[in-house]
Short mmCIF file of all heavy atoms in Angstrom, two decimals:
data_model
loop_
_atom_site.label_atom_id
_atom_site.label_comp_id
_atom_site.label_asym_id
_atom_site.label_seq_id
_atom_site.Cartn_x
_atom_site.Cartn_y
_atom_site.Cartn_z
N THR H 275 -31.72 -52.82 -1.89
CA THR H 275 -33.10 -52.93 -1.48
C THR H 275 -33.92 -52.95 -2.75
O THR H 275 -33.46 -52.59 -3.82
CB THR H 275 -33.53 -51.71 -0.64
OG1 THR H 275 -33.27 -50.55 -1.43
CG2 THR H 275 -32.79 -51.64 0.67
N SER H 276 -35.17 -53.37 -2.61
CA SER H 276 -36.03 -53.30 -3.77
C SER H 276 -36.86 -52.04 -3.65
O SER H 276 -36.68 -51.22 -2.74
CB SER H 276 -36.91 -54.53 -3.88
OG SER H 276 -37.62 -54.50 -5.10
N SER H 277 -37.77 -51.86 -4.57
CA SER H 277 -38.59 -50.66 -4.60
C SER H 277 -39.90 -50.93 -3.92
O SER H 277 -40.41 -52.06 -3.92
CB SER H 277 -38.81 -50.27 -6.05
OG SER H 277 -39.95 -49.48 -6.19
N SER H 278 -40.47 -49.88 -3.33
CA SER H 278 -41.79 -50.04 -2.71
C SER H 278 -42.87 -50.19 -3.77
O SER H 278 -43.96 -50.62 -3.48
CB SER H 278 -42.08 -48.83 -1.83
OG SER H 278 -42.20 -47.66 -2.62
N LEU H 279 -42.55 -49.82 -4.99
CA LEU H 279 -43.56 -49.86 -6.04
C LEU H 279 -43.16 -50.76 -7.21
O LEU H 279 -44.00 -51.38 -7.84
CB LEU H 279 -43.83 -48.44 -6.55
CG LEU H 279 -44.95 -48.25 -7.57
CD1 LEU H 279 -46.29 -48.65 -6.98
CD2 LEU H 279 -45.01 -46.81 -8.05
N MET H 280 -41.84 -50.83 -7.51
CA MET H 280 -41.40 -51.57 -8.69
C MET H 280 -40.68 -52.84 -8.25
O MET H 280 -39.51 -52.79 -7.86
CB MET H 280 -40.50 -50.67 -9.53
CG MET H 280 -41.25 -49.43 -10.03
SD MET H 280 -40.16 -48.15 -10.74
CE MET H 280 -39.32 -47.57 -9.27
N PRO H 281 -41.36 -53.97 -8.30
CA PRO H 281 -40.86 -55.19 -7.64
C PRO H 281 -39.57 -55.73 -8.25
O PRO H 281 -38.87 -56.50 -7.61
CB PRO H 281 -42.00 -56.19 -7.83
CG PRO H 281 -43.18 -55.41 -8.31
CD PRO H 281 -42.66 -54.17 -8.94
N GLN H 282 -39.25 -55.37 -9.47
CA GLN H 282 -38.09 -55.97 -10.12
C GLN H 282 -36.77 -55.31 -9.71
O GLN H 282 -35.70 -55.81 -10.05
CB GLN H 282 -38.24 -55.89 -11.64
CG GLN H 282 -37.79 -54.59 -12.29
CD GLN H 282 -38.77 -53.42 -12.10
OE1 GLN H 282 -39.78 -53.53 -11.43
NE2 GLN H 282 -38.44 -52.29 -12.69
N LYS H 283 -36.84 -54.18 -8.99
CA LYS H 283 -35.62 -53.40 -8.82
C LYS H 283 -34.69 -53.92 -7.73
O LYS H 283 -35.12 -54.50 -6.74
CB LYS H 283 -35.99 -51.94 -8.54
CG LYS H 283 -36.61 -51.27 -9.77
CD LYS H 283 -36.71 -49.80 -9.56
CE LYS H 283 -35.31 -49.22 -9.47
NZ LYS H 283 -35.34 -47.89 -8.89
N LYS H 284 -33.40 -53.74 -7.98
CA LYS H 284 -32.38 -54.00 -6.96
C LYS H 284 -31.56 -52.73 -6.84
O LYS H 284 -30.64 -52.50 -7.62
CB LYS H 284 -31.43 -55.12 -7.41
CG LYS H 284 -32.00 -56.51 -7.41
CD LYS H 284 -30.87 -57.49 -7.66
CE LYS H 284 -31.39 -58.79 -8.25
NZ LYS H 284 -30.29 -59.62 -8.80
N ASN H 285 -31.88 -51.94 -5.88
CA ASN H 285 -31.22 -50.64 -5.76
C ASN H 285 -29.92 -50.76 -4.98
O ASN H 285 -29.90 -51.35 -3.91
CB ASN H 285 -32.16 -49.66 -5.07
CG ASN H 285 -33.44 -49.46 -5.86
OD1 ASN H 285 -33.42 -49.48 -7.08
ND2 ASN H 285 -34.54 -49.29 -5.16
N PRO H 286 -28.85 -50.20 -5.51
CA PRO H 286 -27.54 -50.35 -4.85
C PRO H 286 -27.37 -49.35 -3.71
O PRO H 286 -26.44 -48.56 -3.70
CB PRO H 286 -26.57 -50.07 -5.99
CG PRO H 286 -27.30 -49.09 -6.86
CD PRO H 286 -28.77 -49.41 -6.74
N ASP H 287 -28.29 -49.42 -2.76
CA ASP H 287 -28.37 -48.41 -1.71
C ASP H 287 -27.06 -48.11 -1.00
O ASP H 287 -26.72 -46.95 -0.76
CB ASP H 287 -29.40 -48.83 -0.65
CG ASP H 287 -30.80 -48.93 -1.19
OD1 ASP H 287 -31.00 -49.67 -2.16
OD2 ASP H 287 -31.68 -48.25 -0.65
N VAL H 288 -26.36 -49.18 -0.63
CA VAL H 288 -25.17 -48.94 0.18
C VAL H 288 -24.16 -48.09 -0.59
O VAL H 288 -23.60 -47.13 -0.06
CB VAL H 288 -24.53 -50.27 0.62
CG1 VAL H 288 -23.20 -50.01 1.31
CG2 VAL H 288 -25.46 -51.01 1.57
N PHE H 289 -23.97 -48.42 -1.86
CA PHE H 289 -22.98 -47.65 -2.61
C PHE H 289 -23.47 -46.23 -2.89
O PHE H 289 -22.67 -45.29 -2.97
CB PHE H 289 -22.58 -48.39 -3.88
CG PHE H 289 -21.74 -49.60 -3.57
CD1 PHE H 289 -22.24 -50.88 -3.71
CD2 PHE H 289 -20.45 -49.44 -3.08
CE1 PHE H 289 -21.46 -51.99 -3.38
CE2 PHE H 289 -19.66 -50.54 -2.75
CZ PHE H 289 -20.17 -51.83 -2.90
N GLU H 290 -24.77 -46.06 -3.02
CA GLU H 290 -25.29 -44.70 -3.17
C GLU H 290 -25.01 -43.87 -1.91
O GLU H 290 -24.64 -42.70 -2.00
CB GLU H 290 -26.78 -44.74 -3.46
CG GLU H 290 -27.13 -45.34 -4.82
CD GLU H 290 -28.63 -45.49 -5.00
OE1 GLU H 290 -29.19 -46.46 -4.44
OE2 GLU H 290 -29.24 -44.66 -5.68
N LEU H 291 -25.18 -44.50 -0.77
CA LEU H 291 -24.92 -43.76 0.47
C LEU H 291 -23.42 -43.47 0.64
O LEU H 291 -23.04 -42.42 1.15
CB LEU H 291 -25.46 -44.54 1.68
CG LEU H 291 -26.98 -44.61 1.75
CD1 LEU H 291 -27.42 -45.51 2.90
CD2 LEU H 291 -27.59 -43.22 1.92
N VAL H 292 -22.59 -44.43 0.22
CA VAL H 292 -21.15 -44.18 0.28
C VAL H 292 -20.78 -43.04 -0.66
O VAL H 292 -19.95 -42.18 -0.34
CB VAL H 292 -20.35 -45.46 -0.08
CG1 VAL H 292 -18.86 -45.16 -0.21
CG2 VAL H 292 -20.58 -46.54 0.99
N ARG H 293 -21.44 -42.99 -1.81
CA ARG H 293 -21.19 -41.90 -2.75
C ARG H 293 -21.53 -40.54 -2.15
O ARG H 293 -20.83 -39.55 -2.40
CB ARG H 293 -22.04 -42.14 -4.01
CG ARG H 293 -21.87 -41.10 -5.09
CD ARG H 293 -22.56 -41.52 -6.38
NE ARG H 293 -23.99 -41.72 -6.20
CZ ARG H 293 -24.81 -42.18 -7.13
NH1 ARG H 293 -24.35 -42.49 -8.34
NH2 ARG H 293 -26.09 -42.33 -6.90
N ALA H 294 -22.58 -40.50 -1.35
CA ALA H 294 -22.99 -39.23 -0.75
C ALA H 294 -22.17 -38.85 0.48
O ALA H 294 -22.20 -37.71 0.92
CB ALA H 294 -24.46 -39.30 -0.36
N ALA H 295 -21.44 -39.82 1.02
CA ALA H 295 -20.84 -39.65 2.35
C ALA H 295 -19.82 -38.52 2.48
O ALA H 295 -19.74 -37.90 3.53
CB ALA H 295 -20.24 -40.97 2.82
N PRO H 296 -19.01 -38.22 1.46
CA PRO H 296 -18.05 -37.12 1.67
C PRO H 296 -18.75 -35.82 2.08
O PRO H 296 -18.16 -35.01 2.79
CB PRO H 296 -17.33 -36.97 0.33
CG PRO H 296 -18.03 -37.87 -0.64
CD PRO H 296 -18.84 -38.85 0.14
N GLY H 297 -19.99 -35.64 1.66
CA GLY H 297 -20.73 -34.44 2.05
C GLY H 297 -20.88 -34.34 3.56
O GLY H 297 -20.81 -33.25 4.13
N ARG H 298 -21.06 -35.49 4.22
CA ARG H 298 -21.20 -35.45 5.67
C ARG H 298 -19.96 -34.86 6.33
O ARG H 298 -20.05 -34.08 7.27
CB ARG H 298 -21.40 -36.86 6.23
CG ARG H 298 -22.64 -37.56 5.74
CD ARG H 298 -22.88 -38.78 6.62
NE ARG H 298 -23.83 -39.71 6.02
CZ ARG H 298 -24.24 -40.82 6.61
NH1 ARG H 298 -23.76 -41.15 7.81
NH2 ARG H 298 -25.09 -41.63 6.01
N LEU H 299 -18.82 -35.26 5.84
CA LEU H 299 -17.58 -34.79 6.46
C LEU H 299 -17.26 -33.37 6.04
O LEU H 299 -16.85 -32.53 6.84
CB LEU H 299 -16.42 -35.74 6.13
CG LEU H 299 -16.17 -36.88 7.13
CD1 LEU H 299 -15.65 -36.34 8.46
CD2 LEU H 299 -17.42 -37.72 7.38
N PHE H 300 -17.44 -33.11 4.76
CA PHE H 300 -17.10 -31.76 4.28
C PHE H 300 -18.04 -30.73 4.89
O PHE H 300 -17.62 -29.61 5.22
CB PHE H 300 -17.18 -31.70 2.76
CG PHE H 300 -16.55 -30.45 2.21
CD1 PHE H 300 -15.19 -30.38 1.98
CD2 PHE H 300 -17.32 -29.32 1.96
CE1 PHE H 300 -14.61 -29.22 1.50
CE2 PHE H 300 -16.74 -28.15 1.48
CZ PHE H 300 -15.38 -28.10 1.24
N GLY H 301 -19.31 -31.10 5.07
CA GLY H 301 -20.25 -30.17 5.69
C GLY H 301 -19.81 -29.81 7.10
O GLY H 301 -19.88 -28.65 7.51
N ARG H 302 -19.32 -30.80 7.82
CA ARG H 302 -18.89 -30.51 9.20
C ARG H 302 -17.60 -29.70 9.20
O ARG H 302 -17.40 -28.85 10.06
CB ARG H 302 -18.72 -31.83 9.95
CG ARG H 302 -20.07 -32.48 10.15
CD ARG H 302 -20.04 -33.64 11.09
NE ARG H 302 -21.39 -34.14 11.24
CZ ARG H 302 -21.85 -35.26 10.67
NH1 ARG H 302 -21.06 -36.01 9.93
NH2 ARG H 302 -23.10 -35.62 10.86
N LEU H 303 -16.74 -30.00 8.26
CA LEU H 303 -15.53 -29.19 8.11
C LEU H 303 -15.91 -27.74 7.83
O LEU H 303 -15.36 -26.81 8.45
CB LEU H 303 -14.70 -29.75 6.95
CG LEU H 303 -13.47 -28.95 6.54
CD1 LEU H 303 -12.42 -28.99 7.63
CD2 LEU H 303 -12.89 -29.49 5.23
N ALA H 304 -16.84 -27.53 6.91
CA ALA H 304 -17.26 -26.17 6.56
C ALA H 304 -17.85 -25.47 7.78
O ALA H 304 -17.57 -24.29 8.03
CB ALA H 304 -18.28 -26.20 5.42
N GLN H 305 -18.64 -26.20 8.55
CA GLN H 305 -19.25 -25.61 9.74
C GLN H 305 -18.18 -25.09 10.70
O GLN H 305 -18.21 -23.94 11.13
CB GLN H 305 -20.11 -26.64 10.47
CG GLN H 305 -20.64 -26.09 11.79
CD GLN H 305 -21.40 -27.09 12.62
OE1 GLN H 305 -21.74 -28.17 12.14
NE2 GLN H 305 -21.69 -26.73 13.85
N LEU H 306 -17.21 -25.92 11.00
CA LEU H 306 -16.21 -25.54 11.98
C LEU H 306 -15.26 -24.48 11.42
O LEU H 306 -14.83 -23.57 12.14
CB LEU H 306 -15.43 -26.78 12.46
CG LEU H 306 -14.45 -26.53 13.59
CD1 LEU H 306 -15.12 -25.88 14.79
CD2 LEU H 306 -13.78 -27.84 14.01
N PHE H 307 -14.95 -24.61 10.15
CA PHE H 307 -14.09 -23.61 9.52
C PHE H 307 -14.73 -22.23 9.62
O PHE H 307 -14.09 -21.23 9.95
CB PHE H 307 -13.85 -24.00 8.05
CG PHE H 307 -12.65 -23.35 7.42
CD1 PHE H 307 -11.43 -24.00 7.39
CD2 PHE H 307 -12.73 -22.09 6.84
CE1 PHE H 307 -10.31 -23.41 6.81
CE2 PHE H 307 -11.62 -21.49 6.26
CZ PHE H 307 -10.41 -22.16 6.24
N LEU H 308 -16.04 -22.19 9.36
CA LEU H 308 -16.77 -20.93 9.48
C LEU H 308 -16.78 -20.42 10.91
O LEU H 308 -16.64 -19.21 11.15
CB LEU H 308 -18.21 -21.12 9.01
CG LEU H 308 -18.46 -20.78 7.55
CD1 LEU H 308 -19.67 -21.50 7.02
CD2 LEU H 308 -18.65 -19.28 7.39
N ALA H 309 -16.95 -21.33 11.87
CA ALA H 309 -17.01 -20.91 13.27
C ALA H 309 -15.69 -20.27 13.70
O ALA H 309 -15.66 -19.30 14.45
CB ALA H 309 -17.35 -22.09 14.17
N VAL H 310 -14.60 -20.82 13.21
CA VAL H 310 -13.27 -20.35 13.64
C VAL H 310 -12.86 -19.08 12.90
O VAL H 310 -12.18 -18.22 13.45
CB VAL H 310 -12.21 -21.46 13.41
CG1 VAL H 310 -10.81 -20.93 13.66
CG2 VAL H 310 -12.49 -22.65 14.32
N LYS H 311 -13.32 -18.94 11.67
CA LYS H 311 -12.86 -17.81 10.84
C LYS H 311 -13.13 -16.46 11.51
O LYS H 311 -14.24 -16.17 11.93
CB LYS H 311 -13.57 -17.84 9.49
CG LYS H 311 -13.14 -16.70 8.57
CD LYS H 311 -14.17 -15.60 8.52
CE LYS H 311 -13.57 -14.26 8.19
NZ LYS H 311 -14.59 -13.19 8.20
N GLY H 312 -12.06 -15.68 11.61
CA GLY H 312 -12.19 -14.33 12.10
C GLY H 312 -12.39 -14.21 13.60
O GLY H 312 -12.64 -13.12 14.10
N LEU H 313 -12.26 -15.32 14.34
CA LEU H 313 -12.32 -15.24 15.80
C LEU H 313 -11.10 -14.52 16.33
O LEU H 313 -10.01 -14.65 15.79
CB LEU H 313 -12.33 -16.64 16.41
CG LEU H 313 -13.62 -17.43 16.42
CD1 LEU H 313 -13.45 -18.61 17.37
CD2 LEU H 313 -14.79 -16.58 16.85
N PRO H 314 -11.27 -13.82 17.45
CA PRO H 314 -10.08 -13.34 18.16
C PRO H 314 -9.31 -14.55 18.68
O PRO H 314 -9.87 -15.65 18.77
CB PRO H 314 -10.66 -12.54 19.33
CG PRO H 314 -12.11 -12.38 19.06
CD PRO H 314 -12.52 -13.46 18.11
N SER H 315 -8.06 -14.34 19.05
CA SER H 315 -7.29 -15.51 19.46
C SER H 315 -7.64 -15.95 20.87
O SER H 315 -8.47 -15.35 21.53
CB SER H 315 -5.79 -15.28 19.30
OG SER H 315 -5.39 -14.15 20.00
N SER H 316 -7.02 -17.02 21.33
CA SER H 316 -7.31 -17.67 22.61
C SER H 316 -8.72 -18.26 22.58
O SER H 316 -9.32 -18.38 21.51
CB SER H 316 -7.11 -16.68 23.77
OG SER H 316 -7.68 -17.15 24.95
N TYR H 317 -9.25 -18.62 23.73
CA TYR H 317 -10.53 -19.32 23.74
C TYR H 317 -11.72 -18.38 23.56
O TYR H 317 -11.79 -17.32 24.19
CB TYR H 317 -10.71 -20.10 25.04
CG TYR H 317 -11.96 -20.96 24.98
CD1 TYR H 317 -11.96 -22.17 24.32
CD2 TYR H 317 -13.16 -20.51 25.53
CE1 TYR H 317 -13.11 -22.94 24.22
CE2 TYR H 317 -14.32 -21.28 25.43
CZ TYR H 317 -14.28 -22.48 24.77
OH TYR H 317 -15.43 -23.23 24.65
N ASN H 318 -12.67 -18.77 22.72
CA ASN H 318 -13.95 -18.11 22.60
C ASN H 318 -15.03 -19.19 22.60
O ASN H 318 -14.79 -20.30 22.13
CB ASN H 318 -14.05 -17.34 21.28
CG ASN H 318 -12.99 -16.25 21.20
OD1 ASN H 318 -13.16 -15.18 21.75
ND2 ASN H 318 -11.88 -16.55 20.53
N LYS H 319 -16.18 -18.84 23.09
CA LYS H 319 -17.26 -19.82 23.23
C LYS H 319 -17.63 -20.44 21.88
O LYS H 319 -18.11 -21.57 21.81
CB LYS H 319 -18.48 -19.14 23.84
CG LYS H 319 -19.66 -20.05 24.07
CD LYS H 319 -19.52 -20.85 25.34
CE LYS H 319 -20.83 -21.50 25.74
NZ LYS H 319 -20.72 -22.27 26.98
N ASP H 320 -17.38 -19.69 20.80
CA ASP H 320 -17.68 -20.21 19.46
C ASP H 320 -17.03 -21.58 19.26
O ASP H 320 -17.52 -22.40 18.47
CB ASP H 320 -17.14 -19.26 18.38
CG ASP H 320 -17.39 -17.79 18.64
OD1 ASP H 320 -17.01 -17.31 19.72
OD2 ASP H 320 -17.93 -17.13 17.74
N LEU H 321 -15.92 -21.81 19.93
CA LEU H 321 -15.19 -23.06 19.73
C LEU H 321 -15.97 -24.26 20.26
O LEU H 321 -15.68 -25.40 19.89
CB LEU H 321 -13.82 -22.99 20.39
CG LEU H 321 -12.87 -21.93 19.80
CD1 LEU H 321 -11.56 -21.91 20.54
CD2 LEU H 321 -12.64 -22.16 18.31
N GLN H 322 -16.95 -24.02 21.11
CA GLN H 322 -17.79 -25.12 21.57
C GLN H 322 -18.49 -25.80 20.39
O GLN H 322 -18.89 -26.96 20.48
CB GLN H 322 -18.83 -24.57 22.55
CG GLN H 322 -19.77 -25.62 23.09
CD GLN H 322 -20.69 -25.02 24.15
OE1 GLN H 322 -20.23 -24.51 25.18
NE2 GLN H 322 -21.99 -25.06 23.90
N GLU H 323 -18.62 -25.07 19.30
CA GLU H 323 -19.27 -25.63 18.12
C GLU H 323 -18.47 -26.76 17.47
O GLU H 323 -18.88 -27.32 16.46
CB GLU H 323 -19.49 -24.52 17.08
CG GLU H 323 -20.46 -23.46 17.50
CD GLU H 323 -21.90 -23.92 17.37
OE1 GLU H 323 -22.28 -24.31 16.26
OE2 GLU H 323 -22.62 -23.89 18.38
N ASP H 324 -17.31 -27.06 18.01
CA ASP H 324 -16.53 -28.14 17.39
C ASP H 324 -16.98 -29.52 17.88
O ASP H 324 -16.66 -30.52 17.25
CB ASP H 324 -15.03 -27.95 17.67
CG ASP H 324 -14.68 -28.16 19.13
OD1 ASP H 324 -15.59 -28.12 19.98
OD2 ASP H 324 -13.49 -28.34 19.42
N LYS H 325 -17.72 -29.57 18.96
CA LYS H 325 -18.04 -30.87 19.57
C LYS H 325 -18.82 -31.78 18.64
O LYS H 325 -18.46 -32.92 18.40
CB LYS H 325 -18.84 -30.67 20.86
CG LYS H 325 -18.15 -29.91 21.94
CD LYS H 325 -17.01 -30.66 22.55
CE LYS H 325 -16.19 -29.74 23.43
NZ LYS H 325 -15.81 -28.46 22.79
N LYS H 326 -19.93 -31.26 18.15
CA LYS H 326 -20.81 -32.09 17.34
C LYS H 326 -20.13 -32.50 16.03
O LYS H 326 -20.14 -33.69 15.67
CB LYS H 326 -22.12 -31.35 17.08
CG LYS H 326 -23.30 -32.28 17.02
CD LYS H 326 -24.60 -31.52 16.78
CE LYS H 326 -25.66 -32.51 16.36
NZ LYS H 326 -26.64 -32.02 15.43
#
Side-chain angles (χ1 to χ4, degrees):
Chain H
T275 56
S276 187
S277 157
S278 65
L279 185 63
M280 298 168 291
Q282 85 284 4
K283 291 191 66 196
K284 288 189 204 167
N285 299 325
D287 296 57
V288 173
F289 289 108
E290 292 174 282
L291 291 175
V292 172
R293 181 171 60 185
R298 298 194 196 182
L299 269 291
F300 193 85
R302 292 191 178 105
L303 174 68
Q305 174 185 348
L306 185 55
F307 200 94
L308 266 156
V310 172
K311 180 257 154 182
L313 281 194
S315 56
S316 165
Y317 187 80
N318 298 279
K319 181 81 166 181
D320 317 54
L321 296 178
Q322 180 175 300
E323 294 282 304
D324 69 342
K325 298 291 168 311
K326 214 180 165 213

